[in-house]
Coordinates of all heavy atoms in Angstrom, one line a residue:
N162 N 0.8 -1.2 0.0 CA 0.0 0.0 0.0 C 0.9 1.3 0.0 O 1.4 1.6 1.0 CB -0.9 0.0 1.2 CG -1.9 1.1 1.2 OD1 -1.9 1.9 0.3 ND2 -2.7 1.2 2.2
N163 N 1.1 1.8 -1.1 CA 1.9 3.0 -1.2 C 1.1 4.3 -1.6 O 1.6 5.2 -2.1 CB 3.0 2.8 -2.3 CG 4.1 3.8 -2.2 OD1 4.3 4.4 -1.2 ND2 4.7 4.1 -3.3
L164 N -0.2 4.3 -1.3 CA -1.0 5.5 -1.6 C -0.7 6.5 -0.6 O -0.3 6.2 0.5 CB -2.5 5.1 -1.5 CG -3.1 4.2 -2.6 CD1 -4.5 3.9 -2.3 CD2 -3.0 4.9 -3.9
D165 N -0.8 7.7 -1.0 CA -0.5 8.9 -0.1 C -1.4 9.0 1.1 O -0.9 9.3 2.2 CB -0.5 10.2 -0.9 CG 0.1 11.4 -0.2 OD1 1.1 11.1 0.6 OD2 -0.4 12.5 -0.3
K166 N -2.7 8.7 1.0 CA -3.6 8.7 2.1 C -4.4 7.4 2.1 O -4.3 6.6 1.2 CB -4.6 9.9 1.9 CG -4.0 11.2 1.7 CD -3.4 11.8 2.9 CE -2.9 13.1 2.6 NZ -2.1 13.8 3.6
E167 N -5.2 7.2 3.2 CA -6.0 6.0 3.3 C -7.3 6.1 2.5 O -7.8 7.2 2.2 CB -6.4 5.9 4.8 CG -5.3 5.6 5.8 CD -4.7 4.3 5.6 OE1 -5.4 3.3 5.3 OE2 -3.4 4.2 5.7
I168 N -7.7 5.0 2.0 CA -9.0 4.9 1.3 C -9.9 3.9 1.9 O -9.5 3.1 2.8 CB -8.7 4.4 -0.2 CG1 -8.1 3.0 -0.2 CG2 -7.8 5.4 -0.9 CD1 -8.1 2.3 -1.6
V169 N -11.2 3.9 1.5 CA -12.2 3.0 1.9 C -12.4 2.0 0.8 O -13.1 2.3 -0.2 CB -13.5 3.7 2.3 CG1 -14.5 2.7 2.8 CG2 -13.3 4.8 3.3
P170 N -11.8 0.8 0.8 CA -11.9 -0.2 -0.3 C -13.4 -0.6 -0.6 O -13.7 -0.8 -1.8 CB -11.1 -1.3 0.2 CG -10.2 -0.8 1.2 CD -10.9 0.3 1.9
A171 N -14.2 -0.7 0.4 CA -15.6 -1.1 0.2 C -16.4 -0.1 -0.6 O -17.3 -0.5 -1.3 CB -16.3 -1.4 1.5
E172 N -16.0 1.1 -0.6 CA -16.7 2.2 -1.3 C -16.0 2.6 -2.6 O -16.4 3.6 -3.2 CB -16.9 3.4 -0.4 CG -17.8 3.1 0.8 CD -18.1 4.3 1.7 OE1 -17.8 5.4 1.2 OE2 -18.4 4.1 2.8
S173 N -14.9 2.0 -2.9 CA -14.1 2.3 -4.1 C -14.6 1.5 -5.2 O -15.1 0.4 -5.0 CB -12.6 2.1 -3.8 OG -12.1 2.9 -2.8
K174 N -14.4 1.9 -6.5 CA -14.9 1.2 -7.7 C -13.8 1.1 -8.7 O -13.0 2.0 -8.8 CB -16.1 1.9 -8.3 CG -17.3 2.0 -7.3 CD -18.4 2.8 -8.0 CE -19.5 3.0 -7.1 NZ -20.6 3.8 -7.7
C175 N -13.9 0.1 -9.5 CA -13.1 -0.1 -10.7 C -14.0 -0.4 -11.9 O -14.7 -1.4 -11.8 CB -12.1 -1.2 -10.5 SG -11.0 -1.4 -11.9
V176 N -14.0 0.4 -12.9 CA -14.9 0.1 -14.1 C -13.9 -0.1 -15.3 O -13.1 0.7 -15.7 CB -15.7 1.4 -14.4 CG1 -16.6 1.2 -15.6 CG2 -16.6 1.7 -13.2
V177 N -14.1 -1.3 -15.9 CA -13.3 -1.7 -17.1 C -14.2 -1.6 -18.3 O -15.3 -2.2 -18.4 CB -12.8 -3.1 -16.9 CG1 -12.0 -3.5 -18.2 CG2 -12.0 -3.3 -15.7
K178 N -13.8 -0.8 -19.3 CA -14.5 -0.6 -20.6 C -13.5 -1.1 -21.7 O -12.4 -1.4 -21.4 CB -14.9 0.8 -20.8 CG -16.0 1.2 -19.7 CD -16.8 2.3 -20.2 CE -17.9 2.6 -19.2 NZ -18.8 3.6 -19.6
Q179 N -14.0 -1.1 -22.9 CA -13.2 -1.6 -24.0 C -11.9 -0.8 -24.2 O -10.9 -1.3 -24.5 CB -14.1 -1.6 -25.3 CG -13.4 -2.2 -26.4 CD -14.2 -2.3 -27.7 OE1 -15.4 -1.8 -27.7 NE2 -13.8 -2.9 -28.7
N180 N -12.0 0.6 -24.1 CA -10.8 1.4 -24.3 C -10.2 2.1 -23.1 O -9.4 2.9 -23.3 CB -11.1 2.4 -25.4 CG -12.3 3.3 -25.1 OD1 -12.9 3.1 -24.0 ND2 -12.5 4.3 -25.9
R181 N -10.7 1.8 -21.9 CA -10.2 2.5 -20.7 C -10.6 1.7 -19.5 O -11.5 0.9 -19.4 CB -10.6 3.9 -20.7 CG -12.1 4.0 -20.3 CD -12.4 5.5 -20.0 NE -13.9 5.5 -19.7 CZ -14.7 6.3 -20.3 NH1 -14.4 7.0 -21.3 NH2 -16.0 6.3 -19.9
I182 N -9.8 2.0 -18.4 CA -10.1 1.5 -17.1 C -10.2 2.7 -16.2 O -9.3 3.6 -16.2 CB -8.9 0.6 -16.6 CG1 -8.8 -0.6 -17.5 CG2 -9.2 0.2 -15.1 CD1 -7.6 -1.5 -17.1
T183 N -11.3 2.8 -15.5 CA -11.5 3.9 -14.5 C -11.5 3.4 -13.1 O -12.2 2.5 -12.8 CB -12.9 4.6 -14.8 OG1 -12.9 5.0 -16.2 CG2 -13.1 5.8 -13.9
V184 N -10.6 4.0 -12.3 CA -10.6 3.6 -10.9 C -11.0 4.8 -10.0 O -10.5 5.9 -10.1 CB -9.1 3.2 -10.5 CG1 -9.0 2.9 -9.0 CG2 -8.6 2.1 -11.4
K185 N -12.0 4.6 -9.2 CA -12.5 5.6 -8.3 C -12.2 5.2 -6.9 O -12.8 4.1 -6.4 CB -14.0 5.8 -8.5 CG -14.3 6.3 -9.9 CD -15.9 6.6 -10.0 CE -16.2 7.0 -11.5 NZ -17.6 7.3 -11.6
L186 N -11.4 5.9 -6.2 CA -11.0 5.6 -4.8 C -11.8 6.6 -3.9 O -11.7 7.8 -4.0 CB -9.5 5.8 -4.6 CG -8.6 4.9 -5.5 CD1 -7.2 5.3 -5.3 CD2 -8.9 3.5 -5.3
R187 N -12.4 6.0 -2.9 CA -13.1 6.8 -1.8 C -12.1 7.1 -0.7 O -11.5 6.2 -0.2 CB -14.3 6.0 -1.3 CG -15.0 6.7 -0.1 CD -15.7 7.9 -0.5 NE -16.8 7.6 -1.4 CZ -17.5 8.5 -2.0 NH1 -17.3 9.7 -1.7 NH2 -18.4 8.1 -2.9
K188 N -11.9 8.4 -0.5 CA -11.0 8.8 0.5 C -11.6 8.6 1.9 O -12.7 8.8 2.1 CB -10.7 10.3 0.4 CG -10.0 10.7 -0.9 CD -9.6 12.2 -0.8 CE -10.5 12.9 -1.9 NZ -10.1 14.3 -1.9
K189 N -10.7 8.2 2.8 CA -11.1 8.0 4.2 C -11.2 9.4 4.9 O -10.4 10.2 4.6 CB -10.1 7.1 4.9 CG -10.4 6.7 6.3 CD -9.4 5.8 6.8 CE -9.8 5.3 8.3 NZ -8.8 4.4 8.8
E190 N -12.2 9.5 5.7 CA -12.3 10.8 6.5 C -11.1 10.9 7.4 O -10.8 10.0 8.1 CB -13.6 10.8 7.3 CG -14.8 10.9 6.4 CD -15.0 12.2 5.8 OE1 -14.8 13.2 6.5 OE2 -15.5 12.3 4.6
G191 N -10.5 12.1 7.4 CA -9.4 12.4 8.2 C -9.9 13.0 9.5 O -11.1 13.0 9.8
Q192 N -9.0 13.5 10.3 CA -9.3 14.1 11.6 C -10.2 15.3 11.4 O -11.0 15.7 12.2 CB -8.0 14.5 12.3 CG -8.3 15.0 13.7 CD -6.9 15.3 14.5 OE1 -5.9 15.1 13.9 NE2 -7.1 15.6 15.7
F193 N -9.9 16.1 10.3 CA -10.6 17.3 10.1 C -11.5 17.2 8.8 O -11.7 18.2 8.1 CB -9.7 18.5 9.9 CG -8.8 18.6 11.2 CD1 -7.5 18.3 11.1 CD2 -9.3 19.2 12.3 CE1 -6.7 18.4 12.3 CE2 -8.6 19.3 13.4 CZ -7.2 18.9 13.4
G194 N -12.0 16.1 8.4 CA -12.8 15.9 7.2 C -12.0 15.2 6.1 O -10.9 14.6 6.4
T195 N -12.5 15.2 5.0 CA -11.9 14.6 3.8 C -10.6 15.3 3.5 O -10.5 16.5 3.4 CB -12.8 14.6 2.6 OG1 -14.1 14.0 2.9 CG2 -12.2 13.9 1.4
E196 N -9.5 14.5 3.4 CA -8.2 15.1 3.2 C -8.0 15.4 1.7 O -8.5 14.7 0.8 CB -7.2 14.0 3.7 CG -7.4 13.7 5.1 CD -6.0 13.4 5.8 OE1 -5.0 13.7 5.3 OE2 -6.1 12.9 6.9
H197 N -7.1 16.4 1.4 CA -6.8 16.7 0.1 C -5.5 16.0 -0.3 O -4.5 16.0 0.4 CB -6.5 18.3 0.0 CG -6.0 18.7 -1.3 ND1 -6.8 18.7 -2.4 CD2 -4.8 19.1 -1.7 CE1 -6.1 19.2 -3.4 NE2 -4.9 19.4 -3.0
W198 N -5.5 15.4 -1.5 CA -4.4 14.6 -2.0 C -3.7 15.5 -3.0 O -4.2 15.9 -3.9 CB -4.8 13.3 -2.6 CG -5.4 12.3 -1.7 CD1 -5.9 12.5 -0.5 CD2 -5.5 10.9 -2.0 NE1 -6.4 11.3 0.0 CE2 -6.1 10.3 -0.9 CE3 -5.2 10.1 -3.1 CZ2 -6.4 8.9 -0.9 CZ3 -5.4 8.8 -3.1 CH2 -6.0 8.2 -1.9
T199 N -2.4 15.7 -2.8 CA -1.6 16.3 -3.8 C -0.9 15.3 -4.7 O -0.5 15.7 -5.8 CB -0.5 17.3 -3.1 OG1 0.2 16.5 -2.2 CG2 -1.2 18.4 -2.3
D200 N -0.6 14.1 -4.1 CA 0.0 13.1 -4.9 C -0.8 11.8 -4.7 O -1.4 11.6 -3.6 CB 1.4 12.8 -4.4 CG 2.3 14.0 -4.7 OD1 2.3 14.6 -5.8 OD2 3.1 14.5 -3.8
L201 N -0.8 10.9 -5.7 CA -1.5 9.7 -5.6 C -0.7 8.7 -4.7 O -1.2 8.0 -3.8 CB -1.7 9.0 -7.0 CG -2.4 7.7 -6.9 CD1 -3.8 7.8 -6.3 CD2 -2.5 7.1 -8.3
T202 N 0.7 8.7 -4.9 CA 1.5 7.8 -4.2 C 2.3 8.6 -3.2 O 2.6 9.8 -3.3 CB 2.5 7.0 -5.1 OG1 3.3 8.0 -5.8 CG2 1.8 6.1 -6.0
S203 N 2.7 7.9 -2.1 CA 3.5 8.6 -1.0 C 4.9 8.7 -1.4 O 5.5 7.9 -2.1 CB 3.4 7.7 0.2 OG 4.1 8.3 1.3
K204 N 5.5 9.9 -1.0 CA 6.9 10.1 -1.3 C 7.8 9.3 -0.5 O 9.0 9.0 -0.8 CB 7.2 11.6 -1.2 CG 6.5 12.4 -2.2 CD 6.9 13.9 -2.1 CE 6.1 14.7 -3.2 NZ 6.4 16.1 -3.1
R205 N 7.4 9.0 0.7 CA 8.2 8.1 1.6 C 7.3 7.1 2.3 O 6.1 7.3 2.3 CB 8.9 9.0 2.6 CG 8.1 9.8 3.5 CD 8.9 10.5 4.5 NE 8.0 11.0 5.5 CZ 7.7 12.3 5.6 NH1 8.3 13.2 4.8 NH2 6.9 12.7 6.5
R206 N 7.8 6.1 2.9 CA 7.1 5.1 3.6 C 6.4 5.7 4.8 O 6.9 6.5 5.5 CB 8.0 4.0 4.1 CG 8.5 3.2 3.0 CD 7.5 2.1 2.8 NE 8.0 1.0 2.0 CZ 7.3 0.4 1.0 NH1 6.2 0.9 0.7 NH2 7.8 -0.6 0.4
R207 N 5.1 5.3 4.9 CA 4.4 5.7 6.1 C 4.8 4.8 7.3 O 5.0 3.6 7.2 CB 2.9 5.5 5.9 CG 2.2 6.6 5.2 CD 0.8 6.5 5.2 NE 0.4 5.7 4.1 CZ -0.8 5.1 4.0 NH1 -1.7 5.3 4.9 NH2 -1.1 4.4 2.9
T208 N 4.8 5.4 8.4 CA 5.1 4.7 9.7 C 3.8 4.3 10.4 O 2.8 5.0 10.2 CB 6.0 5.6 10.6 OG1 5.3 6.8 10.9 CG2 7.3 5.9 10.0
E209 N 3.9 3.4 11.1 CA 2.7 2.8 11.9 C 2.3 3.7 13.0 O 1.2 3.7 13.5 CB 2.9 1.4 12.3 CG 3.0 0.4 11.1 CD 1.7 0.4 10.3 OE1 0.6 0.4 10.9 OE2 1.9 0.3 9.1
K210 N 3.3 4.5 13.6 CA 2.9 5.3 14.8 C 2.1 6.4 14.4 O 2.2 7.0 13.3 CB 4.2 5.7 15.5 CG 5.0 6.8 14.7 CD 6.1 7.2 15.6 CE 6.8 8.4 14.9 NZ 7.9 8.9 15.7
D211 N 1.2 6.8 15.2 CA 0.2 7.8 15.0 C 0.8 9.2 15.3 O 1.4 9.4 16.3 CB -1.0 7.6 15.9 CG -2.2 8.5 15.6 OD1 -2.1 9.1 14.5 OD2 -3.0 8.6 16.4
S212 N 0.7 10.1 14.4 CA 1.2 11.5 14.6 C 0.5 12.2 15.7 O 1.0 13.2 16.2 CB 1.2 12.2 13.3 OG -0.1 12.5 12.9
A213 N -0.7 11.8 16.1 CA -1.4 12.4 17.2 C -0.8 12.1 18.5 O -1.0 12.9 19.5 CB -2.9 11.9 17.2
S214 N 0.0 11.1 18.6 CA 0.7 10.8 19.9 C 1.8 11.8 20.2 O 2.2 12.0 21.3 CB 1.3 9.4 19.9 OG 2.2 9.2 18.9
D215 N 2.4 12.3 19.1 CA 3.5 13.4 19.3 C 3.1 14.5 18.3 O 3.4 14.5 17.2 CB 4.8 12.8 18.9 CG 6.0 13.8 19.1 OD1 5.7 14.8 19.8 OD2 7.1 13.5 18.7
P216 N 2.5 15.6 18.8 CA 2.0 16.7 18.0 C 3.1 17.3 17.2 O 2.9 17.8 16.1 CB 1.4 17.6 19.0 CG 1.1 16.9 20.2 CD 2.1 15.8 20.3
S217 N 4.3 17.4 17.8 CA 5.4 18.1 17.0 C 6.0 17.2 15.9 O 6.6 17.7 15.0 CB 6.5 18.5 18.0 OG 7.1 17.3 18.6
A218 N 5.7 15.9 15.9 CA 6.2 15.1 14.8 C 5.6 15.4 13.5 O 6.2 15.5 12.5 CB 5.9 13.6 15.2
G219 N 4.3 15.8 13.5 CA 3.6 16.2 12.3 C 4.2 17.5 11.7 O 4.4 17.6 10.5
L220 N 4.4 18.4 12.6 CA 5.0 19.7 12.2 C 6.5 19.4 11.7 O 6.8 20.0 10.6 CB 5.1 20.6 13.4 CG 5.7 22.0 13.1 CD1 4.8 22.7 12.1 CD2 5.7 22.8 14.4
M221 N 7.2 18.6 12.3 CA 8.6 18.4 11.8 C 8.6 17.6 10.5 O 9.4 18.0 9.6 CB 9.4 17.5 12.9 CG 9.7 18.3 14.1 SD 10.6 19.9 13.8 CE 12.1 19.3 13.2
D222 N 7.6 16.7 10.3 CA 7.5 16.0 9.0 C 7.1 17.1 7.9 O 7.7 17.0 6.8 CB 6.4 15.0 9.1 CG 6.9 13.7 9.8 OD1 8.1 13.6 10.1 OD2 6.0 13.0 10.3
M223 N 6.2 18.0 8.2 CA 5.9 19.0 7.2 C 7.0 19.9 6.9 O 7.3 20.2 5.7 CB 4.7 19.9 7.8 CG 4.2 20.9 6.8 SD 3.1 22.1 7.5 CE 4.1 23.0 8.5
M224 N 7.8 20.3 7.9 CA 9.0 21.1 7.6 C 10.0 20.4 6.8 O 10.6 20.9 5.9 CB 9.6 21.6 9.0 CG 8.7 22.5 9.7 SD 8.4 24.1 8.9 CE 10.0 24.8 8.9
R225 N 10.2 19.1 7.1 CA 11.1 18.3 6.3 C 10.7 18.2 4.9 O 11.5 18.3 3.9 CB 11.3 16.9 6.9 CG 12.3 16.0 6.2 CD 12.5 14.6 6.8 NE 12.6 14.6 8.3 CZ 11.7 14.1 9.1 NH1 10.6 13.5 8.6 NH2 11.9 14.1 10.4
D226 N 9.4 18.0 4.7 CA 8.8 17.9 3.3 C 9.0 19.2 2.6 O 9.4 19.3 1.4 CB 7.4 17.5 3.3 CG 7.1 16.1 3.7 OD1 8.1 15.3 3.6 OD2 6.0 15.8 4.0
L227 N 8.7 20.3 3.3 CA 9.0 21.7 2.6 C 10.4 21.9 2.2 O 10.7 22.4 1.2 CB 8.5 22.8 3.6 CG 7.0 23.0 3.8 CD1 6.8 24.0 4.9 CD2 6.4 23.5 2.5
Y228 N 11.3 21.5 3.1 CA 12.7 21.6 2.8 C 13.1 20.8 1.7 O 13.9 21.2 0.8 CB 13.6 21.3 4.1 CG 15.0 21.6 3.9 CD1 15.5 22.9 4.1 CD2 15.9 20.6 3.5 CE1 16.9 23.1 4.0 CE2 17.3 20.8 3.4 CZ 17.7 22.1 3.6 OH 19.1 22.4 3.4
D229 N 12.7 19.5 1.7 CA 13.1 18.5 0.6 C 12.5 19.0 -0.7 O 13.2 18.8 -1.8 CB 12.6 17.1 1.0 CG 13.4 16.5 2.1 OD1 14.5 17.0 2.4 OD2 12.9 15.5 2.7
D230 N 11.3 19.4 -0.8 CA 10.7 19.8 -2.0 C 10.9 21.2 -2.4 O 10.5 21.6 -3.6 CB 9.2 19.5 -1.9 CG 8.9 18.1 -1.7 OD1 9.7 17.2 -2.0 OD2 7.8 17.7 -1.2
G231 N 11.4 22.1 -1.5 CA 11.5 23.5 -1.8 C 12.7 23.9 -2.7 O 13.6 23.1 -2.9
D232 N 12.6 25.1 -3.2 CA 13.7 25.7 -4.0 C 14.8 26.2 -3.1 O 14.7 26.1 -1.8 CB 13.1 26.8 -4.9 CG 12.5 27.9 -4.2 OD1 12.3 27.9 -3.0 OD2 12.0 28.9 -4.9
D233 N 15.8 26.8 -3.6 CA 16.9 27.3 -2.8 C 16.5 28.4 -1.8 O 17.0 28.4 -0.7 CB 18.0 27.9 -3.7 CG 18.7 26.8 -4.5 OD1 18.7 25.6 -4.1 OD2 19.2 27.1 -5.6
Q234 N 15.6 29.3 -2.2 CA 15.1 30.3 -1.3 C 14.4 29.7 -0.1 O 14.6 30.2 1.0 CB 14.2 31.3 -2.1 CG 13.7 32.5 -1.2 CD 14.8 33.4 -0.8 OE1 15.9 33.5 -1.4 NE2 14.6 34.1 0.3
T235 N 13.5 28.8 -0.4 CA 12.7 28.1 0.7 C 13.7 27.4 1.7 O 13.5 27.5 2.9 CB 11.8 27.1 0.1 OG1 10.9 27.7 -0.8 CG2 11.0 26.4 1.2
R236 N 14.7 26.7 1.1 CA 15.7 26.0 2.0 C 16.4 27.0 2.9 O 16.7 26.8 4.0 CB 16.6 25.2 1.1 CG 16.0 24.0 0.5 CD 16.9 23.2 -0.3 NE 16.3 22.1 -0.8 CZ 16.8 21.0 -1.4 NH1 18.1 21.0 -1.5 NH2 16.1 20.0 -1.9
K237 N 16.8 28.2 2.3 CA 17.5 29.2 3.0 C 16.7 29.7 4.2 O 17.2 29.8 5.3 CB 17.9 30.3 2.1 CG 18.7 31.4 2.7 CD 19.0 32.6 1.8 CE 19.7 33.7 2.5 NZ 19.9 34.8 1.6
V238 N 15.4 30.0 3.9 CA 14.5 30.6 5.0 C 14.3 29.5 6.1 O 14.4 29.9 7.3 CB 13.2 31.0 4.3 CG1 12.2 31.3 5.4 CG2 13.4 32.2 3.4
I239 N 14.1 28.3 5.7 CA 13.9 27.2 6.7 C 15.2 27.0 7.5 O 15.2 26.9 8.7 CB 13.4 25.9 6.1 CG1 12.0 26.1 5.5 CG2 13.5 24.8 7.1 CD1 11.5 24.9 4.7
G240 N 16.3 27.0 6.8 CA 17.6 26.9 7.6 C 17.9 28.0 8.5 O 18.4 27.8 9.6
E241 N 17.6 29.3 8.1 CA 17.8 30.4 9.0 C 16.9 30.3 10.2 O 17.2 30.6 11.4 CB 17.5 31.7 8.3 CG 18.6 32.0 7.3 CD 18.3 33.2 6.4 OE1 17.2 33.8 6.5 OE2 19.2 33.6 5.6
A242 N 15.6 29.9 10.0 CA 14.6 29.7 11.1 C 15.1 28.7 12.1 O 15.0 28.8 13.3 CB 13.2 29.4 10.6
M243 N 15.6 27.6 11.5 CA 16.1 26.5 12.4 C 17.3 27.0 13.2 O 17.4 26.7 14.4 CB 16.4 25.2 11.6 CG 15.3 24.6 11.0 SD 14.2 23.8 12.2 CE 15.1 22.4 12.6
L244 N 18.2 27.7 12.6 CA 19.4 28.2 13.3 C 19.0 29.2 14.4 O 19.5 29.1 15.5 CB 20.3 28.9 12.3 CG 21.6 29.5 12.8 CD1 22.5 28.4 13.4 CD2 22.4 30.2 11.8
K245 N 18.1 30.1 14.1 CA 17.6 31.0 15.1 C 16.9 30.3 16.3 O 17.2 30.6 17.5 CB 16.7 32.0 14.6 CG 17.3 33.1 13.7 CD 16.3 34.0 13.1 CE 17.0 35.0 12.2 NZ 16.0 36.0 11.6
S246 N 16.2 29.2 16.0 CA 15.6 28.5 17.0 C 16.6 27.8 17.9 O 16.5 27.8 19.2 CB 14.6 27.4 16.4 OG 14.1 26.5 17.3
Q247 N 17.6 27.2 17.3 CA 18.6 26.5 18.1 C 19.4 27.5 18.9 O 19.8 27.2 20.1 CB 19.5 25.7 17.2 CG 18.9 24.5 16.6 CD 19.7 23.8 15.5 OE1 20.8 24.3 15.1 NE2 19.3 22.6 15.1
Q248 N 19.7 28.6 18.4 CA 20.4 29.7 19.1 C 19.6 30.2 20.3 O 20.2 30.4 21.4 CB 20.8 30.8 18.2 CG 21.9 30.5 17.2 CD 22.2 31.6 16.2 OE1 21.4 32.5 16.0 NE2 23.3 31.5 15.5
S249 N 18.3 30.3 20.1 CA 17.5 30.8 21.2 C 17.3 29.8 22.3 O 17.2 30.1 23.5 CB 16.1 31.3 20.8 OG 15.3 30.2 20.3
R250 N 17.4 28.5 21.9 CA 17.3 27.4 23.0 C 18.6 27.4 23.8 O 18.6 27.2 25.0 CB 17.2 26.1 22.3 CG 15.8 25.7 21.9 CD 15.7 24.3 21.5 NE 14.6 24.2 20.6 CZ 14.6 23.2 19.6 NH1 15.5 22.4 19.5 NH2 13.5 23.2 18.8
G251 N 19.7 27.7 23.1 CA 21.0 27.8 23.8 C 21.1 28.9 24.8 O 21.8 28.8 25.9
T252 N 20.4 30.0 24.6 CA 20.5 31.1 25.5 C 19.2 31.2 26.4 O 19.0 32.2 27.1 CB 20.5 32.5 24.7 OG1 19.4 32.5 23.9 CG2 21.8 32.5 23.9
G253 N 18.4 30.1 26.4 CA 17.2 30.1 27.2 C 16.1 31.0 26.6 O 15.2 31.3 27.3
G254 N 16.2 31.3 25.3 CA 15.2 32.1 24.7 C 15.3 33.6 24.9 O 14.4 34.3 24.6
L255 N 16.4 34.1 25.5 CA 16.6 35.4 25.9 C 17.2 36.3 24.9 O 17.2 37.5 25.0 CB 17.3 35.5 27.3 CG 16.6 34.9 28.5 CD1 17.5 34.9 29.7 CD2 15.3 35.5 28.8
G256 N 17.8 35.7 23.9 CA 18.6 36.5 22.9 C 20.0 36.6 23.3 O 20.5 36.3 24.4
D257 N 20.8 37.3 22.4 CA 22.2 37.4 22.6 C 22.6 38.5 23.6 O 23.6 38.4 24.3 CB 22.9 37.8 21.3 CG 22.8 36.6 20.3 OD1 22.7 35.5 20.7 OD2 22.9 36.9 19.1
D258 N 21.8 39.5 23.8 CA 22.1 40.6 24.7 C 21.5 40.4 26.1 O 21.3 41.4 26.9 CB 21.8 41.9 24.2 CG 20.3 42.0 23.8 OD1 19.6 41.0 23.9 OD2 19.9 43.1 23.4
S259 N 21.2 39.2 26.5 CA 20.4 39.0 27.8 C 21.3 39.3 29.0 O 20.7 39.6 30.1 CB 19.9 37.6 27.8 OG 21.0 36.7 27.8
F260 N 22.6 39.3 28.9 CA 23.4 39.5 30.1 C 24.1 40.9 30.1 O 25.0 41.1 30.9 CB 24.5 38.4 30.2 CG 23.9 37.0 30.5 CD1 23.8 36.1 29.5 CD2 23.4 36.8 31.7 CE1 23.2 34.9 29.8 CE2 22.8 35.5 32.0 CZ 22.7 34.6 31.0
D261 N 23.7 41.7 29.1 CA 24.3 43.1 29.1 C 23.8 43.8 30.3 O 22.7 43.8 30.8 CB 23.9 43.9 27.9 CG 24.5 43.3 26.6 OD1 25.5 42.5 26.7 OD2 24.1 43.7 25.5
G262 N 24.7 44.6 31.0 CA 24.4 45.4 32.1 C 24.5 44.6 33.4 O 24.2 45.1 34.5
L263 N 25.0 43.4 33.4 CA 25.1 42.6 34.7 C 26.5 42.8 35.2 O 27.5 42.9 34.6 CB 24.8 41.2 34.5 CG 23.3 40.8 34.2 CD1 23.2 39.3 34.1 CD2 22.5 41.3 35.4

């Protein structure tokens, strides 16, 4: 199963005619309704663990996809944001001038 999203096989159809084959796949309802498919097949293997168990995992997956699929400008912006985030963690989120005047 390498489809990008889940389907409902019982509600899906396959129609074979003399000059064509039509496949209609019923999308499974997602957490927020019917999901939008941008690709028919998944770009990477789906894992069995639920992303709802770790809310930040979904966000990190989305950022990874944006970085992998993005152009040079997108990669630059994401890289700068990640660098700033790591730097702010190192200073406790106070910024570089947090100890001025002490």
Side-chain angles (χ1 to χ4, degrees):
N162 184 3
N163 194 27
L164 291 175
D165 191 34
K166 307 285 183 188
E167 295 290 322
I168 63 166
V169 181
E172 297 179 19
S173 299
K174 297 178 184 179
C175 180
V176 179
V177 179
K178 295 204 175 184
Q179 186 175 3
N180 59 352
R181 72 171 179 236
I182 299 174
T183 304
V184 179
K185 296 181 181 182
L186 303 175
R187 173 69 61 186
K188 295 185 249 183
K189 184 176 181 180
E190 291 287 322
Q192 185 177 4
F193 302 107
T195 304
E196 302 212 15
H197 175 72
W198 291 20
T199 55
D200 295 314
L201 180 61
T202 58
S203 180
K204 292 183 180 178
R205 61 173 190 257
R206 287 275 198 223
R207 275 191 275 164
T208 58
E209 292 298 322
K210 70 177 187 176
D211 187 17
S212 62
S214 63
D215 184 12
S217 65
L220 179 63
M221 291 305 293
D222 288 343
M223 181 188 73
M224 293 298 290
R225 185 180 311 117
D226 289 343
L227 284 172
Y228 186 84
D229 290 343
D230 297 339
D232 59 358
D233 291 336
Q234 181 67 23
T235 303
R236 289 181 180 194
K237 180 181 176 184
V238 170
I239 292 173
E241 289 173 355
M243 292 293 287
L244 181 63
K245 286 180 183 178
S246 173
Q247 290 174 350
Q248 288 174 344
S249 68
R250 280 191 208 151
T252 60
L255 298 174
D257 295 334
D258 57 352
S259 60
F260 294 106
D261 289 350
L263 290 181

